[in-house]
Amino acid sequence: MIGQSRLRRSVARAVLRAAIVLILSHGATLALAQRAPVSPDHPWHGLGEARIEADTGNSTEPGLSFDQEKNYSLTELIDLAESHHPETRVAWERARAQAAAWGVVRSELYPTLAAAALSGVDRGQVYLGDRFFRQTIADFQVVLNLNYTIFDFGARAGRISAAKAEVLAANFAFNDTHREVIYRVEQTYYQLLSAFGQEEAARTNLSNAQAVQQAAEERLNHGLATLPDVLEARSATAQAEYELQVILGAEEIAHGNLANALGAIPQTAIRVQPLRELRIPSAVDDTVNSAMDRALAQRPDLLQRVADVHAAKARVKEARAAYYPSLNFTATPTAQSLYGLQQQFAWGQTAGLAGGMAVSLNWTVFDGRARKNRLAQAEANVHEAEAQIHVLRDQIANEVWAAYSDLNTALRQREAATALLEAADRSYDAALESYNYGLRNLLDVTAAQRTLAQARSTDVLARTKVLTTLAALAFRAGDSIQLNAMRSRP
């Protein structure tokens, strides 16, 4: 026994020295890497900065590649965004983690079985009569530990139900992420189409302004116009050129916004269908009441709130179960083999099966009102979740009403913009023709040209606004993630 104690003390000292060296070296590394900035007047640069920067560079994913000869439709771009946008990946991984958490909780329905193998040698001196005899005992054991909760008055069932509802909530959150991504792609897509339409209108306006300028210069050369008329025409041309450059800048920004909505870098070149190839609806085939009914039945954010209520009610069931006892069963079968050697005697050996079984009833009699407060907290969480549903339902109804009204307004504006463009085009042609015949002055022509330019811009805005408000209504009603709605999108 004395030799065994010395051996244990020497081993303990060696382990302690190794632990101290490891802690000191690790602490020195942390002290260098996590030191606070030395002063507030300049940026911090530490030893850990390069490592973090390298990890940031390694975490970048390969960008999307687009066929530069192809004009992508909105449906194709939405498919790319849903497949490659990092937000959908984040929501997916969260849903998978929640599903794994449900599996962890469901494992409580089954017993737990742990196995351990133990082996050791014990050497000491045994005093017998008037002498000490050396004794060596070798021990080898294989131990199984079985634990199972037989009954707990619904505590496990409450936890499992809560975890299952949380999985549903995570799945609905995943769907809502897709809804958000689809809506952003639609908005940026129509923003880019509007910029293309505005560019086309601006180039036509510039061409008209140059035509007016050319007519004014020709009349000046023939003595039929004055220099102020020519200067006025040149000013209108310069203004049209300026407006074109502004629109080209907005077009570049719209390109970047669309690429970002797709999960790509802003400088990604993307060819899209021109605005003139898209079908612009002229009327709403739906009523506001049916849109509201669909929104209240299929909006994933509302369904997520309902799942939260189910999870909160399951937590109430779990909290109530704490008032009752739990019955547990434990078994520890052990296979043991012993070898012994005493001085002047031969080796001895024995083997057998040992262990035990126990059934325990655990019941918390008093806990300082902790169970009561946990139950009150769980019930309050249920009431809060139910109130959140009512708040969100009112918000959804208002959003659908506003989106439906915006769509109707956009349709009426589209009709008015079409009539305005037709009238402005005819007015400009008549004014320019009359000016060439000397029947109108240049101010009338430039005014008609500005009116036509504004009418073209308004027409483009009206057409894209119909598409934008239609997408907004589908987004508010939750139609954007339904397969039938995806197929019927214009």
Side-chain angles (χ1 to χ4, degrees):
M1 297 297 292
I2 296 175
Q4 180 182 6
S5 300
R6 291 178 179 176
L7 178 62
R8 290 177 178 174
R9 285 196 297 270
S10 61
V11 171
R13 285 195 297 268
V15 172
L16 180 61
R17 285 194 297 269
I20 292 175
V21 172
L22 178 62
I23 292 174
L24 291 177
S25 60
H26 184 61
T29 303
L30 292 178
L32 292 175
Q34 299 180 358
R35 183 178 299 170
V38 295
S39 65
D41 56 353
H42 60 274
W44 169 85
H45 297 286
L47 296 178
E49 182 180 10
R51 183 183 304 170
I52 298 299
E53 290 177 351
D55 292 341
T56 302
N58 294 332
S59 63
T60 58
E61 296 184 359
L64 290 173
S65 59
F66 294 88
D67 186 358
Q68 299 304 311
E69 302 298 328
K70 177 181 178 180
N71 290 336
Y72 286 87
S73 66
L74 177 59
T75 303
E76 293 172 329
L77 294 178
I78 288 176
D79 290 339
L80 288 173
E82 290 184 285
S83 302
H84 297 86
H85 202 285
E87 290 184 11
T88 60
R89 166 72 66 169
V90 170
W92 182 54
E93 295 295 348
R94 286 176 179 172
R96 294 181 63 199
Q98 194 59 55
W102 179 36
V104 171
V105 177
R106 290 181 69 246
S107 66
E108 296 185 29
L109 294 174
Y110 307 94
T112 60
L113 181 63
L118 308 175
S119 179
V121 177
D122 188 10
R123 173 176 291 184
Q125 299 289 335
V126 179
Y127 184 70
L128 182 62
D130 58 350
R131 296 182 56 187
F132 285 93
F133 294 89
R134 178 180 296 174
Q135 178 176 275
T136 302
I137 297 178
D139 184 10
F140 178 76
Q141 299 180 9
V142 176
V143 183
L144 298 178
N145 192 327
L146 177 68
N147 291 285
Y148 181 63
T149 299
I150 300 175
F151 195 71
D152 60 359
F153 286 91
R156 286 179 302 184
R159 287 191 292 271
I160 292 173
S161 298
K164 182 178 180 180
E166 289 168 356
V167 171
L168 293 176
N171 291 341
F172 289 133
F174 173 71
N175 291 346
D176 199 48
T177 300
H178 276 267
R179 187 175 69 101
E180 295 279 352
V181 169
I182 291 171
Y183 183 59
R184 285 201 299 269
V185 172
E186 291 174 335
Q187 295 296 302
T188 54
Y189 178 80
Y190 293 137
Q191 178 187 5
L192 181 58
L193 291 187
S194 178
F196 285 153
Q198 294 290 348
E199 179 191 355
E200 184 178 354
R203 293 190 183 278
T204 305
N205 297 334
L206 177 60
S207 178
N208 291 340
Q210 291 171 345
V212 173
Q213 178 183 344
Q214 182 180 0
E217 290 176 348
E218 290 179 356
R219 290 179 61 83
L220 178 63
N221 293 334
H222 292 83
L224 301 176
T226 62
L227 181 61
D229 291 340
V230 175
L231 296 177
E232 178 68 23
R234 292 174 180 174
S235 176
T237 302
Q239 180 66 30
E241 178 66 33
Y242 173 80
E243 293 174 353
L244 175 60
Q245 297 305 319
V246 172
I247 291 172
L248 290 177
E251 184 180 315
E252 293 180 358
I253 295 176
H255 261 294
N257 292 338
L258 178 59
N260 179 260
L262 296 173
I265 56 178
Q267 58 267 35
T268 303
I270 307 171
R271 291 173 58 92
V272 298
Q273 289 179 315
L275 181 60
R276 60 179 176 272
E277 293 183 3
L278 299 183
R279 180 178 62 87
I280 309 296
S282 58
V284 185
D285 297 332
D286 198 6
T287 64
V288 66
N289 290 332
S290 61
M292 284 187 182
D293 292 340
R294 291 198 312 276
L296 297 177
Q298 66 187 18
R299 276 276 292 262
D301 50 347
L302 181 60
L303 298 178
Q304 181 184 356
R305 295 293 185 185
V306 176
D308 290 339
V309 172
H310 291 178
K313 289 181 178 179
R315 296 298 181 188
V316 171
K317 181 179 180 180
E318 179 187 1
R320 285 202 180 102
Y323 281 96
Y324 304 98
S326 62
L327 184 63
N328 300 280
F329 172 76
T330 302
T332 56
T334 304
Q336 186 179 45
S337 179
L338 296 175
Y339 297 87
L341 175 65
Q342 288 186 337
Q343 189 175 354
Q344 298 179 353
F345 292 96
W347 277 96
Q349 188 269 338
T350 184
L353 183 65
M357 294 184 296
V359 176
S360 62
L361 182 68
N362 300 318
W363 194 354
T364 302
V365 179
F366 181 75
D367 60 358
R369 300 169 63 91
R371 289 174 296 183
K372 181 178 180 180
N373 290 321
R374 291 192 188 100
L375 179 58
Q377 181 184 19
E379 291 175 343
N381 290 336
V382 172
H383 299 324
E384 179 188 0
E386 292 174 342
Q388 290 287 351
I389 290 179
H390 295 302
V391 172
L392 186 56
R393 284 175 64 91
D394 293 340
Q395 178 183 341
I396 289 174
N398 184 65
E399 290 175 353
V400 172
W401 176 265
Y404 190 84
S405 300
D406 289 341
L407 178 56
N408 283 321
T409 301
L411 291 172
R412 294 192 296 267
Q413 288 177 333
R414 167 66 176 145
E415 295 179 359
T418 302
L420 174 62
L421 178 59
E422 182 180 356
D425 187 54
R426 294 178 61 183
S427 176
Y428 169 76
D429 291 339
L432 182 58
E433 184 179 3
S434 299
Y435 176 72
N436 290 330
Y437 286 111
L439 301 177
R440 301 284 293 272
N441 59 41
L442 185 64
L443 294 178
D444 295 333
V445 179
T446 54
Q449 187 266 329
R450 292 192 186 97
T451 302
L452 178 58
Q454 184 64 35
R456 286 197 181 96
S457 177
T458 302
D459 180 69
V460 172
L461 291 176
R463 283 187 289 167
T464 55
K465 187 175 181 180
V466 171
L467 298 174
T468 302
T469 53
L470 187 62
L473 180 60
F475 171 71
R476 301 302 179 187
D479 294 333
S480 56
I481 60 173
Q482 305 300 325
L483 295 179
N484 56 347
M486 292 290 293
R487 286 194 295 266
S488 62
R489 181 183 293 106

